[in-house]
Amino acid sequence: MDDSTLDRIAEFICGNGENHPEYRSSSKITSFFERSGLPQFIHDGSTRQWWVHEKLKECNREQLAAVLKRLSSPKEYKGDRDKIKSALVMLNEILYVEGFRIKLEGLEPKFEKFDINFSDENVKTSSLSPMPAPNFMALGLESEVGKILVDRWEEAQRCVDSKAHLSAIIIMGSMLEGLLLGVLQRNPGKANQCTTAPKDSKSGKVKSFAHWKLAEMIDVAHNVGWLGMDVRQFSHALRGFRNLIHPYEQMASKMYPDADTCDISWLVVQAAVNDLARALKND
């Protein structure tokens, strides 16, 4: 690995600069190397970045791979999704010139080679899609539903990896509907009292949750304060793509999801979980 790349990795490990996801003091640098399987690297009090750079140059291929995997592991950031995403983006920007990147399969970092192309201004140096599944259980969902949502998250990732973008989008839309329905069922009082809760045209009573449309779930979740306006709007966009499950809908709309659509849709589901978790925690 080029010396300039190692220097940038050393800077990343130290966390010098406000843009890095984690600042590591002398003792934390020692602890980081221990978590990476290198307990022999004990910081001696010298300039941190220079010292880390020198230690990285001592690493063989397997040891350096272990360091990079730990830097991109969700466990290193205690599951903080913002830090995980930031770490992946920044680390892959550093590794781009070496011709490989890191992606997450569940919680496990994996290396992936690719052809470098500096002539393409739009080349992607990282992917937003390989993220660990959100903590669906933080929403108070039934354990079985939470497990199904995690399974679907992983299945959607397999679809993305296989370039089955339409299938991935449909699964993502189903996850959004599943988590919203689960939250409604756990919080029926607030949901049913919302002025926009859908009512039966004959009886005038609020419909049972099983008969709510996804659009209605999104709007009620926003109106009771569970979803922010931005997440509401993006959720409706994902709902529109989810409806492409009907061939005639796709023919009429002429919408054809691609990798970029999947990247955005991943973030919509993540953002919905984040909003719901924050709101329900304060209720």
Side-chain angles (χ1 to χ4, degrees), residues 218-219 222-223 227-237 275:
I218 294 170
D219 287 340
H222 166 67
N223 289 332
L227 293 180
M229 176 60 76
D230 54 344
V231 178
R232 171 185 176 272
Q233 293 176 334
F234 283 122
S235 294
H236 276 300
D275 272 15

Side-chain angles (χ1 to χ4, degrees), residues 29-44 51 55 58-60 63-64 67:
I29 288 173
T30 299
S31 297
F32 167 78
F33 277 118
E34 184 175 1
R35 292 192 295 273
S36 301
L38 298 168
Q40 68 272 29
F41 290 168
I42 302 173
H43 186 235
D44 59 6
W51 183 88
K55 293 304 174 185
E58 295 178 15
C59 291
N60 59 33
Q63 290 172 331
L64 192 55
V67 169

Side-chain angles (χ1 to χ4, degrees), residues 203-233:
S203 66
K205 296 181 179 179
V206 174
K207 296 179 180 179
S208 62
F209 294 136
H211 295 102
W212 285 32
K213 297 178 180 178
L214 178 54
E216 296 166 338
M217 296 181 190
I218 294 170
D219 287 340
V220 168
H222 166 67
N223 289 332
V224 299
W226 294 340
L227 293 180
M229 176 60 76
D230 54 344
V231 178
R232 171 185 176 272
Q233 293 176 334

